[in-house]
Amino acid sequence: MLDVRRLRVLREVATHGSFSAAAEALSYTQSAVSQQIAALEREAGARLVERSARGVKLTDAGRALVGHTDAILARLADAEEELQAINGLRGGRLRLAAFPSACATLMPLAVATFRERHPGVDLSLCPAEPDDGLTLLRAGEVDVALSIEATFAPPRTDAADLEALPLLDDPMYIMLPREHPLAGRSRLKLVDLADESWMIGTAATCPDTSIFMRACQVAGFEPTIAFNLDDYNAIQGFVAAGMGVSFIPDLALINVRDDVVIRSFGSGRSPVRRIIALTLADSYRSPAKQAMLDVLVEVAGEFGARRTELALAS
């Protein structure tokens, strides 16, 4: 392997035509220059310079090597400049994944804030359900993935490779058709809806589904599941059509239909889901990644402070 520092010495010898002039340009001793050239010749396995009374000139091998040296040093300078830009948040890239309701609420604010502060970083966002985002994260295709966990669930045994940063506790509400007999109440007890048909998510591992099932269990009934749907906009449509009722998290209240109503729980603490930012535990935390995590915490805090009450008074 050729030593880049010795290549630089060879280039100075070629430029100045003597060891002494190259030594002066590099602030080396002439002996040090001579030693560097001798070591480079051993690495190259070829004679690189010829000395004469008229100075030093390059051999064919030396000229070939100097021809490549300029390109090598230029690329190294570019690499150093790019690294400095990345470390200074003036360059680099950051890839994000987030589930739909976070894409519609937290992520626009986070991305806008990040870009205002660090316009040189290339950001990309991939909409992905929590399990899909986790797959992308573990495959190295994204750097940060927003996900959901149930606040009552024990730590996952398969998550030793993950680092979770809590962002926000997202409360659940009850969604009813506007013409439902209980729609006139501002608050509802879950047990009052024990005989209703329900719309919930499809995946058995979906945190929203586990939160719903746990709440029904605590209320003392086994829910009747009419349809399994993962899209809260689709769930709203089925609720509006009178096919049943559903839970809906606060983050999904960004877009509420006129023909449904959203009601709070009547007593006790509402079921909540926790929004978290996942990274790989042993991955390099670049300045851009850390800056985005800081922004997510900031935005989530602001969002929680002005928690929307959309549709609760309708």
Side-chain angles (χ1 to χ4, degrees):
M1 181 69 69
L2 299 177
D3 189 302
V4 173
R5 293 168 299 178
R6 291 168 184 156
L7 290 174
R8 195 187 303 272
V9 172
L10 178 64
R11 186 182 65 172
E12 292 301 318
V13 169
T15 299
H16 296 283
S18 72
F19 282 14
S20 59
E24 183 176 352
L26 293 167
S27 298
Y28 285 4
T29 65
Q30 183 171 335
S31 174
V33 169
S34 179
Q35 291 172 9
Q36 292 292 310
I37 294 298
L40 184 60
E41 287 179 330
R42 289 194 296 273
E43 292 172 351
R47 185 81 173 270
L48 301 176
V49 299
E50 292 181 352
R51 302 189 198 193
S52 69
R54 291 173 293 182
V56 175
K57 67 176 183 177
L58 298 181
T59 64
D60 289 342
R63 283 190 293 272
L65 198 52
V66 168
H68 289 289
T69 296
D70 287 336
I72 291 169
L73 294 177
R75 291 297 298 272
L76 283 174
D78 289 344
E80 289 173 353
E81 183 176 344
E82 185 172 351
L83 287 174
Q84 289 171 359
I86 291 171
N87 288 333
L89 289 171
R90 301 186 307 277
R93 66 172 183 167
L94 189 66
R95 302 159 300 169
L96 312 169
F99 52 92
S101 57
C103 281
T105 51
L106 297 178
M107 293 312 296
L109 299 173
V111 169
T113 300
F114 187 93
R115 280 191 168 163
E116 181 181 358
R117 296 175 183 174
H118 313 295
V121 178
D122 181 22
L123 283 182
S124 64
L125 174 61
C126 176
E129 293 292 345
D131 282 351
D132 295 330
L134 180 55
T135 298
L136 292 172
L137 180 66
R138 283 178 163 149
E141 296 181 28
V142 298
D143 305 296
V144 179
L146 261 62
S147 191
I148 304 166
E149 65 180 8
T151 56
F152 58 80
R156 292 175 54 162
T157 57
D158 62 344
D161 61 331
L162 303 175
E163 187 170 336
L165 176 66
L167 299 178
L168 182 72
D169 280 357
D170 192 29
M172 292 286 190
Y173 298 101
I174 299 171
M175 178 165 54
L176 307 168
R178 183 166 288 279
E179 303 304 321
H180 193 280
L182 298 179
R185 299 185 186 180
S186 61
R187 294 180 179 273
L188 296 171
K189 293 181 180 179
L190 189 56
V191 70
D192 294 337
L193 300 167
D195 296 330
E196 297 287 339
S197 296
W198 292 85
M199 262 67 71
I200 64 171
T202 57
T205 58
C206 175
D208 290 9
T209 301
S210 64
I211 291 167
F212 166 74
M213 297 301 293
R214 170 68 174 266
C216 293
Q217 181 183 22
V218 171
F221 70 93
E222 184 75 20
T224 299
I225 309 302
F227 287 97
N228 296 101
L229 300 161
D230 290 325
D231 187 312
Y232 279 111
N233 286 327
I235 288 176
Q236 285 193 52
F238 275 79
V239 170
M243 301 302 298
V245 299
S246 179
F247 274 20
I248 186 168
D250 188 79
L251 287 185
L253 296 182
I254 192 71
N255 179 31
V256 178
R257 295 171 56 122
D258 293 335
D259 45 7
V260 301
V261 295
I262 310 300
R263 297 293 179 253
S264 297
F265 286 82
S267 60
R269 186 170 182 261
S270 298
V272 298
R273 60 180 192 170
R274 181 159 294 150
I275 312 304
I276 56 177
L278 292 176
T279 55
L280 293 179
D282 296 328
S283 63
Y284 168 62
R285 183 162 291 187
S286 68
K289 186 190 296 186
Q290 183 61 58
M292 175 53 77
L293 292 174
D294 293 341
V295 166
L296 285 169
V297 170
E298 176 185 332
V299 166
E302 292 172 354
F303 190 92
R306 61 175 189 269
R307 175 77 66 185
T308 178
E309 295 295 332
L310 181 63
L312 296 183
S314 60

